[in-house]
Amino acid sequence: MTKVWIQKKEMNEHFLDRLNRSLKIYGHICAIYFISKGTEGDYVEENKIFLQNFLITNNTYPLYLTFTYYADYETIQFTLDKLEITYTLNFLDEVQTYWTSNQHIHYHPPCFTIQIANSNELTLALEATFWIASQNEFYAISNSQNLFFSLETTYEFRRKKERSVPHFKTEKDTTFITIAHDGLGYYLFSNLEKYSTLESLCANLPKGTALEEID
């Protein structure tokens, strides 16, 4: 029996601004849910497994997995190439900095996108990359190519920064998922009827799922 905690969220600017990279949405979203396996034990691994099972249960492909990485992106390139995972690589407009050998190094964050065609590819991609989400890099899975980044001024801890903010276009039958802080769960955004209420969402959870708590 798999126990999960589900909380329905309200769609507003304050909520979106608190998410990783101050998420922006264009179009209609009928429901947002936070879904988590809890905070005990190896919760990152447990959340990855539940997310994988949820996506396999709903059986909608292709999926598009997009994530950002660090300056030494060759390490993840090597992993993806070794596993024969096909991806595209772009670089965000923002500039990040790290300190090494007594100097500041500036770089544009790399952004990977993997197109997933079936459950086997999904499992392989999550196994190879989900740990990145737990490091609080941007990590999202969508059922369409509806994501783009725009360089914008944001405020973090009252400091102004230029960040590449993710924008999702929500056309008909759109569902996408982003990972919560530290991999503590994930947010499901959707305008599909089957996710429009808590009852309908629960009817589409993997078999054997028990709801530990609903808010």
Side-chain angles (χ1 to χ4, degrees):
M1 186 71 69
T2 300
K3 294 183 179 180
V4 295
W5 187 82
I6 300 177
Q7 182 181 39
K8 193 167 187 177
K9 294 292 186 177
E10 192 172 319
M11 174 73 166
N12 56 55
E13 292 256 339
H14 178 66
F15 168 70
L16 295 177
D17 285 343
R18 292 176 59 193
L19 299 179
N20 192 2
R21 290 187 170 269
S22 300
L23 192 71
K24 305 290 185 181
I25 296 176
Y26 295 101
H28 173 65
I29 287 290
C30 67
I32 306 171
Y33 301 97
F34 174 68
I35 303 173
S36 175
K37 287 284 292 158
T39 60
E40 298 181 356
D42 191 357
Y43 58 82
V44 173
E45 177 68 13
E46 291 184 3
N47 281 317
K48 181 201 74 178
I49 291 172
F50 187 78
L51 174 60
Q52 175 183 304
N53 291 338
F54 174 78
L55 292 171
I56 290 174
T57 296
N58 284 270
N59 195 34
T60 300
Y61 301 99
L63 294 171
Y64 299 88
L65 167 57
T66 300
F67 61 91
T68 58
Y69 199 69
Y70 316 111
D72 59 340
Y73 63 92
E74 293 86 358
T75 56
I76 192 64
Q77 275 189 302
F78 175 80
T79 298
L80 297 178
D81 290 340
K82 184 178 180 181
L83 294 172
E84 298 183 343
I85 296 175
T86 302
Y87 59 89
T88 59
L89 172 61
N90 295 294
F91 295 88
L92 302 183
D93 290 334
E94 76 176 78
V95 177
Q96 292 191 6
T97 305
Y98 68 93
W99 176 265
T100 185
S101 301
N102 295 319
Q103 62 178 329
H104 284 99
I105 304 297
H106 303 283
Y107 71 99
H108 294 280
C111 182
F112 291 82
T113 299
I114 300 170
Q115 183 172 329
I116 298 168
N118 53 55
S119 61
N120 290 334
E121 291 183 6
L122 172 66
T123 300
L124 196 63
L126 290 178
E127 286 290 338
T129 66
F130 193 78
W131 64 272
I132 297 170
S134 71
Q135 303 296 310
N136 295 322
E137 290 295 305
F138 177 78
Y139 193 99
I141 300 173
S142 179
N143 68 346
S144 64
Q145 292 179 297
N146 61 343
L147 170 64
F148 68 93
F149 291 85
S150 175
L151 190 64
E152 300 177 14
T153 300
T154 63
Y155 290 86
E156 299 175 13
F157 304 106
R158 298 184 179 179
R159 298 181 63 182
K160 186 167 70 173
K161 291 187 177 182
E162 295 295 312
R163 298 290 300 271
S164 290
V165 175
H167 296 248
F168 284 92
K169 286 184 173 182
T170 60
E171 300 174 350
K172 183 181 178 182
D173 297 339
T174 295
T175 298
F176 64 90
I177 289 167
T178 64
I179 308 304
H181 188 76
D182 291 342
L184 286 169
Y186 62 89
Y187 295 96
L188 171 69
F189 301 77
S190 184
N191 57 24
L192 293 179
E193 183 66 27
K194 68 177 183 178
Y195 301 138
S196 60
T197 67
L198 275 170
E199 291 76 14
S200 58
L201 169 66
C202 291
N204 288 282
L205 295 177
K207 288 183 179 180
T209 301
L211 301 181
E212 190 166 29
E213 184 174 350
I214 297 179
D215 259 353

